[in-house]
Amino acid sequence: MSLAPRSAALVAAALSVAALAGPAPAAAGPAPITSQPPAGRYLNLHQCVYNSPLGASNFDLMTTLVPSLDGRFRAGTDVSDTPVPAAVCGPGDGRYEPNVYTAAEPYDLASGHYLNLHQCIFWSDFDQDHLTTAVGTTDVKFVAGTNISNSPDTTVS
């Protein structure tokens, strides 16, 4: 699949930054903020990409990072004390199946204060479809720069 960006707006669609160590300190008041430790050391982010294998006229990509209600498009994203070795995804529904862009990455929650979640959307003129990524893939051209850091990211990678 040859994907080329349709426009800059599609290539770098979104960047979310969230503090991992609890709420931001209040503007006033001497009481120290106590943060809750995460439920585990690693955020294992599973990126499950599904496609319809019915041919170019029906080609369609779908990306999920979270579980579906019925499990067919399940993504195994979780917080655990163990880093994940590979993506855990549902089997699809018979019309959609896991794709080569399926991947998983463990993020060490103890290594920083912010989860910088990068969502990159790529457009394919050949397939007339979008590919959305938030983690690495088997093709380095479509890796998103999601990371854990002590500072928030200000641009999408």
Side-chain angles (χ1 to χ4, degrees), residues 41-100:
R41 180 170 176 172
Y42 296 94
L43 168 62
N44 294 311
L45 189 57
H46 296 248
Q47 170 180 287
C48 298
V49 180
Y50 296 88
N51 73 280
S52 172
L54 300 175
S57 63
N58 293 316
F59 194 84
D60 191 23
L61 291 170
M62 178 182 69
T63 302
T64 184
L65 303 173
V66 297
S68 65
L69 293 177
D70 64 8
R72 295 176 298 165
F73 300 102
R74 179 184 72 249
T77 297
D78 67 351
V79 176
S80 148
D81 288 324
T82 315
V84 66
V88 174
C89 300
D93 67 356
R95 291 183 26 213
Y96 285 83
E97 58 191 27
N99 178 288
V100 297

Side-chain angles (χ1 to χ4, degrees), residues 8-156:
L10 290 175
V11 175
L15 170 67
S16 288
V17 180
L20 295 173
I33 300 293
T34 58
S35 62
Q36 297 277 1
R41 180 170 176 172
Y42 296 94
L43 168 62
N44 294 311
L45 189 57
H46 296 248
Q47 170 180 287
C48 298
V49 180
Y50 296 88
N51 73 280
S52 172
L54 300 175
S57 63
N58 293 316
F59 194 84
D60 191 23
L61 291 170
M62 178 182 69
T63 302
T64 184
L65 303 173
V66 297
S68 65
L69 293 177
D70 64 8
R72 295 176 298 165
F73 300 102
R74 179 184 72 249
T77 297
D78 67 351
V79 176
S80 148
D81 288 324
T82 315
V84 66
V88 174
C89 300
D93 67 356
R95 291 183 26 213
Y96 285 83
E97 58 191 27
N99 178 288
V100 297
Y101 300 113
T102 292
E105 287 186 355
Y107 297 97
D108 186 347
L109 298 173
S111 66
H113 185 70
Y114 292 92
L115 166 63
N116 295 303
L117 182 62
H118 295 243
Q119 174 183 317
C120 300
I121 302 173
F122 301 91
W123 170 254
S124 169
D125 284 330
F126 178 77
D127 294 318
Q128 296 293 299
D129 200 10
H130 295 93
L131 169 64
T132 301
T133 63
V135 301
T137 70
T138 55
D139 189 334
V140 297
K141 295 183 299 239
F142 306 114
V143 172
T146 297
N147 66 81
I148 301 283
S149 173
N150 282 320
S151 59
D153 287 350
T154 57
T155 59
V156 176

